[in-house]
Amino acid sequence: MPENEHGRIIASEAKTVLQPAGFRRKGRSRIWIADRGFWLSVVEFQPSSWSKGTYLNVAVHWLWGSLPQTLTFDRSERVGGFVEFQNSAQFVPLVGQMARKVLEIDQINRSMFPSVQATATILANELQPGAYGEWAAFHAGVAAGLAGDFETAKRLFVSAQRHAASQAQVLLGYIDDPGAFRSYARGTIEDERAYYGLGALPATIAI
């Protein structure tokens, strides 16, 4: 189906601003992704069911296989409100502003999650005692295990709820063998990287 005018503007502005920062468009969708090693930086110019225009969602997707081959928005925020398309002259600069805001947030995320050690600390500290989100304990557990804190990883996997519990149980099977745990977790990361058309995990990423 041919792309509509506001869709073409979003694609053009996103390409101009985001592509130099390592983002690429996911197919013909309004989603753009960038390789950050063991995670993806994800941008969605989300359409509305009622009006022409876009919302902006910016997210982190952990590449350790909570839902293999599903682009989950594991840490997500909606930036601002809906920007309605009225005409090209009005819409172009607004979408450009959105795209430039993405770069600011992406840089913050990159500074927060440069390594699995830093990520493990942040994810564990963000957990609310007795009120974990369904996948929060799982993601924090994987990060803890990759950072070498297997006691914390085990505790978090045991606490994982609902759908996350089955994934956590798989990793619990490796929890007493650090080498096997890292090998399995790295394998899931490499598999997801391959699925999204990325190369091998960079040697600068210690896992």
Side-chain angles (χ1 to χ4, degrees):
M1 179 181 294
E3 202 163 37
N4 52 42
E5 184 178 3
H6 66 284
R8 287 194 297 272
I9 290 171
I10 292 169
S12 177
E13 289 298 303
K15 181 177 181 180
T16 298
V17 177
L18 300 181
Q19 189 168 277
F23 286 87
R24 62 177 174 82
R25 190 177 182 184
K26 187 174 182 289
R28 301 295 295 172
S29 72
R30 288 192 180 187
I31 293 176
W32 291 71
I33 61 175
D35 177 12
R36 302 298 180 233
F38 58 92
W39 56 280
L40 297 182
S41 188
V42 184
V43 180
E44 179 188 31
F45 294 93
Q46 181 186 353
S48 167
S49 300
W50 313 108
S51 302
K52 295 179 180 179
T54 186
Y55 295 99
L56 175 63
N57 301 314
V58 183
V60 167
H61 169 76
W62 307 119
L63 283 169
W64 40 59
S66 58
L67 294 171
Q69 301 182 359
T70 300
L71 189 61
T72 52
F73 286 26
D74 299 317
R75 293 174 61 91
S76 179
E77 63 176 298
R78 173 164 288 176
V79 182
F82 183 73
V83 173
E84 185 174 3
F85 173 81
Q86 298 172 6
N87 55 64
S88 296
Q90 162 266 349
F91 196 59
V92 168
L94 294 178
V95 175
Q97 290 174 17
M98 280 183 154
R100 287 188 290 276
K101 186 63 177 177
V102 168
L103 298 184
E104 295 178 19
I105 297 171
D106 176 59
Q107 188 56 50
I108 291 171
N109 287 335
R110 293 174 75 176
S111 68
M112 289 176 66
F113 308 118
S115 66
V116 292
Q117 289 78 12
T119 299
T121 298
I122 290 172
L123 295 190
N125 288 342
E126 288 181 342
L127 292 174
Q128 298 298 316
Y132 299 168
E134 182 175 349
W135 289 101
F138 173 80
H139 293 309
V142 177
L146 288 174
D149 185 354
F150 290 97
E151 181 178 343
T152 296
K154 183 175 183 178
R155 173 174 57 81
L156 292 172
F157 289 146
V158 169
S159 71
Q161 302 294 311
R162 300 181 63 198
H163 298 92
S166 60
Q167 290 293 101
Q169 286 298 315
V170 173
L171 285 165
L172 275 171
Y174 298 95
I175 205 70
D176 294 323
D177 186 337
F181 180 94
R182 288 193 176 90
S183 178
Y184 180 86
R186 185 185 179 99
T188 63
I189 293 170
E190 295 284 15
D191 287 347
E192 283 212 47
R193 290 181 60 82
Y195 176 76
Y196 291 107
L198 307 174
L201 190 66
T204 53
I205 304 295
I207 291 180

